[in-house]
Amino acid sequence: MFNTPLVLPRPWTQKRPDDGKPIEAPSESEFVTEFGNKLPNAEFLQTEIGKAAYYSIHPISSAPPELKTPISRILFVHGVQTPAIGMHPLATTLSSRFPYAHCVLVDLWGHGLSETPLIAHDATIFHRLVIDLMNELRWEDAHLIGYSFGGSMVASYAHLNPETVSSMTLVAPAGLLRTSQLSELEKSYMQGGDAVEDQARKWIIKYLEGGQLVVPSDWRARVERGEVVAEAVRDWEMKNHKGHAASVVGIFRDGGVFDKHSEFAQSASKGIPNLSVLGELDELCSAQDLQELGMENVAVVPQVGHGVVRQSVPEVAGHIEKFWKSLEGIA
């Protein structure tokens, strides 16, 4: 943590007089030194509010001629805290099964190698990032996969921009928790204010971690074996990305972690092919929660919780593969 915590503006506030250039992210060389070059080389998108990093896994073959609608463009959207590298195991697995697809992972604002814009971190700035990135890639549409907060963001994006979404896959999506279930103290942390900001930040980080952040002692050896140790990545971001903690708090308060039931329902009503993949033990979201909102195509991975996207890659990829092949007409 930093001695003087940065607090981002809220959606209903005016820009502060000292708002200016976004907070720079660490360099790619710093990240690679710590975690290796598992990801493809970073590319950078300059937008009106800051510079964002993205990573391309390019196709290695042409689509089979019998496919009328091949899965050709895939965008992976991560959750709060762990950046694009956390989606990399799933992305590489799906890339191997759909070798004619262009797979792109993006670091959301304040994560990985993307800057922290000094503006409110509500859903609109993440929707805009997807639009800007797709324009940069010259994609008219794509298959979107969102994990955790990324799932909430993909759902809210899809109901506003359905013509750009070929399909959406929500993996352990956030967004369906209710602020009404928080205690009065926790609600005060969500509202913020100078008197509670330090305690609020500590509570939010602890809430997201499910306790104190503990980095496994063998994390370097595991990274050398090719693993993604999410706890180590999150710890590194907290210590090396000066805007990361503020972005995490901003997203948690304003980005769409809570009370997005209407957006999910509206997204489901658009007729966009969709799949949700949940861990059986995940307390953030249940199959019933999604089905009541119209997201009827739900797969549940047994004996795993919210970390399903990394802990059960073969199972998650298998459900997505079956879903996509049905769209290609060969399931």
Side-chain angles (χ1 to χ4, degrees):
M1 295 295 179
F2 302 99
N3 292 330
T4 306
L6 169 68
V7 180
L8 296 172
R10 306 302 298 276
W12 56 84
T13 61
Q14 297 294 323
K15 279 192 171 184
R16 297 186 315 234
D18 59 338
D19 280 343
K21 292 183 178 179
I23 296 176
E24 292 184 0
S27 70
E28 184 175 17
S29 61
E30 291 175 272
F31 190 85
V32 169
T33 297
E34 202 75 0
F35 300 106
N37 56 356
K38 178 181 287 289
L39 287 166
N41 291 337
E43 300 175 74
F44 293 93
L45 170 68
Q46 185 65 56
T47 78
E48 292 181 355
I49 62 172
K51 184 170 66 174
Y54 66 97
Y55 313 84
S56 284
I57 303 174
H58 291 283
I60 59 173
S61 68
S62 300
E66 65 269 20
L67 297 182
K68 293 183 179 180
T69 55
I71 305 297
S72 57
R73 297 176 294 274
I74 309 168
L75 179 61
F76 294 81
V77 184
H78 65 77
V80 185
Q81 294 184 290
T82 307
I85 194 172
M87 299 283 281
H88 188 255
L90 179 61
T92 53
T93 301
L94 289 171
S95 177
S96 70
R97 300 183 188 187
F98 296 85
Y100 41 87
H102 181 185
C103 299
V104 173
L105 305 94
V106 60
D107 282 334
L108 297 178
W109 296 122
H111 289 71
L113 306 183
S114 289
E115 296 178 330
T116 291
L118 295 177
I119 59 176
H121 277 38
D122 59 11
T124 60
I125 70 167
F126 299 99
H127 296 165
R128 186 71 243 176
L129 177 57
V130 171
I131 292 168
D132 288 343
L133 179 55
M134 290 179 67
N135 286 339
E136 175 78 5
L137 296 167
R138 298 184 180 180
W139 288 1
E140 294 183 357
D141 51 52
H143 298 269
L144 270 55
I145 298 180
Y147 167 63
S148 193
F149 163 68
S152 172
M153 197 276 283
V154 164
S156 61
Y157 171 87
H159 98 81
L160 294 171
N161 305 277
E163 70 284 355
T164 69
V165 184
S166 303
S167 75
M168 59 179 176
T169 299
L170 313 180
V171 182
L176 301 183
L177 296 171
R178 297 183 185 273
T179 52
S180 61
Q181 296 173 326
L182 297 175
S183 70
E184 291 305 312
L185 179 61
E186 291 167 342
K187 289 176 183 176
S188 75
Y189 292 158
M190 291 293 288
Q191 280 298 115
D194 292 343
V196 300
E197 281 302 333
D198 186 53
Q199 300 96 313
R201 178 175 295 205
K202 291 175 182 177
W203 170 72
I204 288 170
I205 300 300
K206 188 174 181 179
Y207 186 101
L208 290 168
E209 290 291 343
Q212 296 299 323
L213 173 58
V214 178
V215 179
S217 59
D218 64 344
W219 75 268
R220 289 190 183 277
R222 289 168 57 185
V223 167
E224 289 177 2
R225 294 197 298 267
E227 292 185 43
V228 174
V229 183
E231 297 89 347
V233 176
R234 296 197 291 268
D235 183 64
W236 181 87
E237 287 179 302
M238 284 290 179
K239 294 174 180 175
N240 294 276
H241 192 317
K242 294 182 179 179
H244 174 68
S247 285
V248 168
V249 172
I251 290 170
F252 188 82
R253 284 173 168 164
D254 301 319
V257 175
F258 291 85
D259 301 322
K260 289 298 176 181
H261 301 74
S262 174
E263 285 83 348
F264 275 70
Q266 291 179 60
S267 179
S269 72
K270 298 295 184 180
I272 301 167
N274 63 83
L275 167 69
S276 299
V277 184
L278 309 178
E280 179 187 20
L281 307 179
D282 193 350
E283 297 181 356
L284 261 67
C285 180
S286 71
Q288 182 178 348
D289 291 334
L290 290 163
Q291 289 164 347
E292 288 177 349
L293 296 171
M295 301 278 188
E296 297 181 355
N297 186 16
V298 182
V300 178
V301 180
Q303 299 182 328
V304 67
H306 191 65
V308 63
V309 75
R310 287 182 292 276
Q311 296 171 4
S312 302
V313 171
E315 293 85 353
V316 175
H319 288 300
I320 297 173
E321 179 182 17
K322 181 179 178 181
F323 169 53
W324 283 349
K325 284 188 174 179
S326 72
L327 300 181
E328 291 182 325
I330 59 175

